[in-house]
Amino acid sequence: MSVQERKQRERAERERLIVATARELAEQQGWDAVTTRRLAERIEYSQPVLYSHFRGKREIIGAVALEGAAEMAAAVRAATSAVDGPRERVAALARAYLDFAARNPAVYDALFQLDGGLAYAQEDTPEPLKDAFAALLESLGEVAGDGVHPGLFTEVFWASLHGLATLTRARRLLPQDAAQRVELLVDRLAVV
């Protein structure tokens, strides 16, 4: 391995460590606790080293969001591939999405609530975000209904899931009704 390759590998490892540490800290104490000073202390590097990877917290949030988007896409695809039939896939998608949001609140916030400097629904949207949407579209597109654009339907269904996720987390909805909400959403919106 050349010196250049070793340096690139070390740089990538430091970047992964920064993102993992930021994510861990955010999940434990919230995003307000994530500062470059605290990250530098935790990973035992100087703040200038952090700034050589990320210009600030915003870019770190963006990196966590991209990592989370890939994980969410994988979770949705795993759930939908494990069942047969369009209705079952949509229900599995909804449960997987809501479970991901509940298990990863800081990542979910990085993806959908905080400014990570990422472009959404544009030409320059990063691939992991496009792929996360594609993971939803793969199952939802087949139940959009006649004359309904699959992408538009996916956006509406996704917005409904997002509302359920955020209202549940804020304790605005009774947790014991979660399964019924998913069933109602699938039954009323998905044309099967």
Side-chain angles (χ1 to χ4, degrees):
M1 175 182 305
S2 72
V3 171
Q4 179 68 15
E5 290 171 330
R6 181 182 52 78
K7 285 182 178 184
Q8 287 176 341
R9 188 188 75 228
E10 288 171 354
R11 180 172 177 75
E13 287 172 9
R14 271 193 313 270
E15 192 166 303
R16 279 192 295 277
L17 179 61
I18 293 166
V19 171
T21 304
R23 181 176 175 166
E24 179 183 311
L25 187 57
E27 291 293 359
Q28 292 171 352
Q29 299 176 31
W31 279 104
D32 286 343
V34 178
T35 65
T36 55
R37 179 179 302 232
R38 289 187 80 186
L39 286 174
E41 288 171 4
R42 282 201 174 199
I43 64 172
E44 299 177 344
Y45 283 103
S46 68
Q47 283 182 286
V49 170
L50 263 73
Y51 286 116
S52 73
H53 290 274
F54 300 99
R55 285 182 282 191
K57 183 175 176 176
R58 181 178 185 220
E59 285 188 5
I60 294 169
I61 290 169
V64 170
L66 294 176
E67 188 176 89
E71 292 171 10
M72 187 179 77
V76 165
R77 286 188 175 112
T80 57
S81 69
V83 296
D84 290 323
R87 187 196 184 287
E88 291 76 14
R89 276 190 293 280
V90 173
L93 175 149
R95 287 189 296 272
Y97 182 97
L98 294 171
D99 182 57
F100 179 86
R103 283 184 298 104
N104 305 283
V107 173
Y108 192 81
D109 285 349
L111 265 166
F112 302 121
Q113 303 288 96
L114 301 174
D115 179 10
L118 304 173
Y120 285 78
Q122 298 174 24
E123 283 296 316
D124 60 341
T125 298
E127 281 306 314
L129 298 178
K130 288 179 181 179
D131 189 54
F133 186 78
L136 300 175
L137 181 63
E138 289 162 10
S139 292
L140 294 170
E142 67 182 323
V143 297
D146 292 337
V148 178
H149 187 278
L152 185 61
F153 178 78
T154 299
E155 290 173 349
V156 170
F157 199 92
W158 170 31
S160 299
L161 290 174
H162 177 69
L164 290 175
T166 55
L167 290 170
T168 299
R169 186 163 137 209
R171 295 189 174 109
R172 301 299 195 267
L173 300 175
L174 297 173
Q176 64 265 28
D177 295 335
Q180 288 176 289
R181 284 187 202 95
V182 168
E183 292 303 313
L184 182 62
L185 183 62
V186 172
D187 288 343
R188 298 294 184 204
L189 285 183
V191 177
V192 224

